[in-house]
């Protein structure tokens, strides 16, 4: 909406949250779950957990209760951070991000206790093939997606749209792509995400320059509101096989050096490969997944674990 927050305000509020979390026992090696709506508190909570030294486990407030119970128990979460004091009580210590006691704590930076190989976050896969599985990601894996990389340069002049639900790892690109590079992070309500007309208005009004979206939403915007993509500097999309007609339509509309097709499973952290789409051959049947991100290796192997020659199908090992 019309709310704004500076980096200083975010840092101080996250420090206050981290202090409270340390008092409650969160430190290096701890896991703190967070259940929050799309809000400043959601971001403050995430940064606060990381500053305390813990790893965050994001849970969508609309997740069924039995699944939340499963994730809390399975992950070994020590504490639940939430924005909703009306939440039905869980069998776990709870910290309210809107609590008055936070304002009484110091906003100064805390001594750091982590190293880059410590866990930064845990996300649970959809569990379409049975019970959900938690994917554990260290700090260095997340940082490599947005820092010193070879496929995008984000600066303080950029505005990044926070589009992905924070319980999916696409949000890691949005949140840390902005905050680790001094850019603006534009949060939107869930209703706006589902309304392409409102989404287009936000992109225009907030001068969004970088956006990472699912292939399905990319196709929808191409069909319904292609105009909202015209002023973006970089459009990243991925998650399923790309549609050549939709990609061609957007490429014709926005021009070269803007479209990046990304690919990779949650286990390898957000995505592992990228491909700049600047032309599409008439005979093209698919959009390539491209080359590995910096600090990432992608090999194509046979069943014996040996590299296969160019042009020979094999298994992708990231």
């Amino acid at each position: 909406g019309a709310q704004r927050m500076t980096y200083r305000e975010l840092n101080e509020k996250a420090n206050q949250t981290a202090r409270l979390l340390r008092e409650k026992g969160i430190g290096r090696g701890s896991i703190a779950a967070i259940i929050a709506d799309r809000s400043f508190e959601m971001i403050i909570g995430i940064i606060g957990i990381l500053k305390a030294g813990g790893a965050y486990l994001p849970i969508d407030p609309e997740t069924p209760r039995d699944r939340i119970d499963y994730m809390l128990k399975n992950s070994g979460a020590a504490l639940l951070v939430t924005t909703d004091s009306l939440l039905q009580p869980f069998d776990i210590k709870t910290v309210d991000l809107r609590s008055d006691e936070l304002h009484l704590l110091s906003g100064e930076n805390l001594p750091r206790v982590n190293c880059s190989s410590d866990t930064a976050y845990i996300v649970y896969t959809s569990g379409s093939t049975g019970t959900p599985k938690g994917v554990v990601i260290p700090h260095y894996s997340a940082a490599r997606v947005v820092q010193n990389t070879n496929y995008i340069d984000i600066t303080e002049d950029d505005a990044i749209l926070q589009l992905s639900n924070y319980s999916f790892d696409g949000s890691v690109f949005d949140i840390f792509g902005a905050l680790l590079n001094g850019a603006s992070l534009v949060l939107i309500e869930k209703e706006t995400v589902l309304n392409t007309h409102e989404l287009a208005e936000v992109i225009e009004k907030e001068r969004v320059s970088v956006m990472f979206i699912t292939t399905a939403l990319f196709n929808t915007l191409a069909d319904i509101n292609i105009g909202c993509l015209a002023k973006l500097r970089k459009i990243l999309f991925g998650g399923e096989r790309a549609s050549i007609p939709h990609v061609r339509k957007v490429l014709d509309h926005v021009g070269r050096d803007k479209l990046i097709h990304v690919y990779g499973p949650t286990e390898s952290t957000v995505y592992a490969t990228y491909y700049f789409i600047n032309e599409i051959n008439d005979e093209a049947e698919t959009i390539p997944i491209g080359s590995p991100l910096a600090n990432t290796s992608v090999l194509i192997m046979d069943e014996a674990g040996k590299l296969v020659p160019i042009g020979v199908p094999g298994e992708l090992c990231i």
Side-chain angles (χ1 to χ4, degrees), residues 72-297:
L72 291 175
K73 189 173 177 189
N74 180 260
S75 66
L79 184 138
L80 172 63
V81 175
T82 180
T83 54
D84 190 354
S85 52
L86 302 174
L87 205 66
Q88 292 175 323
F90 288 88
D91 295 331
I92 189 170
K93 278 193 289 188
T94 304
V95 167
D96 185 352
L97 284 163
R98 293 180 172 140
S99 159
D100 291 335
E101 65 179 312
L102 283 169
H103 307 306
L104 306 173
L105 297 168
S106 166
E108 294 296 309
N109 286 331
L110 295 82
R112 275 203 300 272
V113 294
N114 307 66
C115 65
S116 67
S117 58
D118 289 338
T119 303
Y121 66 87
I122 298 172
V123 290
Y124 274 77
T125 58
S126 59
S128 51
T129 54
T131 52
K133 293 183 177 62
V135 178
V136 180
I137 300 294
H139 284 261
Y140 67 78
S141 293
R144 95 184 202 301
V145 178
V146 295
Q147 284 266 295
N148 306 320
T149 188
N150 53 356
Y151 72 102
I152 195 167
D153 228 354
I154 299 167
T155 72
E156 61 191 37
D157 298 323
D158 281 310
I160 298 184
L161 193 61
Q162 208 282 287
L163 199 65
S164 297
N165 184 315
Y166 82 145
S167 64
F168 296 109
D169 68 344
S171 64
V172 170
F173 172 82
D174 301 341
I175 295 168
F176 297 105
L179 298 182
L180 294 185
N181 291 300
S184 302
L185 179 63
V186 180
L187 295 175
I188 50 175
E189 275 124 1
K190 186 182 174 188
E191 293 69 38
T192 307
V193 178
L194 304 172
N195 182 325
T196 53
H197 177 68
E198 285 182 19
L199 191 60
E201 281 184 0
V202 170
I203 290 169
E204 174 104 8
K205 181 172 169 242
E206 299 297 340
R207 296 187 175 147
V208 171
S209 58
V210 177
M211 184 163 83
F212 173 39
I213 53 179
T214 62
T215 301
L217 182 56
F218 177 89
N219 295 345
T220 301
L221 291 174
D223 287 336
I224 294 175
N225 209 329
I226 198 169
C228 73
L229 301 173
K231 290 182 181 170
L232 286 154
R233 187 171 74 76
K234 298 289 180 192
I235 303 159
L236 296 86
F237 72 100
E240 57 192 284
R241 189 184 171 101
S243 152
I244 297 265
H246 288 97
V247 175
R248 187 175 275 128
K249 184 178 175 183
V250 174
L251 181 61
D252 290 345
H253 188 79
V254 303
R256 293 172 64 87
D257 298 326
K258 287 190 174 182
L259 284 185
I260 309 175
H261 184 224
V262 292
Y263 164 83
T266 296
E267 287 79 357
S268 71
T269 317
V270 193
Y271 38 79
T273 69
Y274 71 95
Y275 178 76
F276 290 116
I277 306 172
N278 282 325
E279 55 191 352
I280 302 172
N281 297 332
D282 291 340
E283 304 84 60
E285 292 178 13
T286 185
I287 302 292
I289 63 168
S291 309
L293 305 194
N295 302 307
T296 307
S297 299

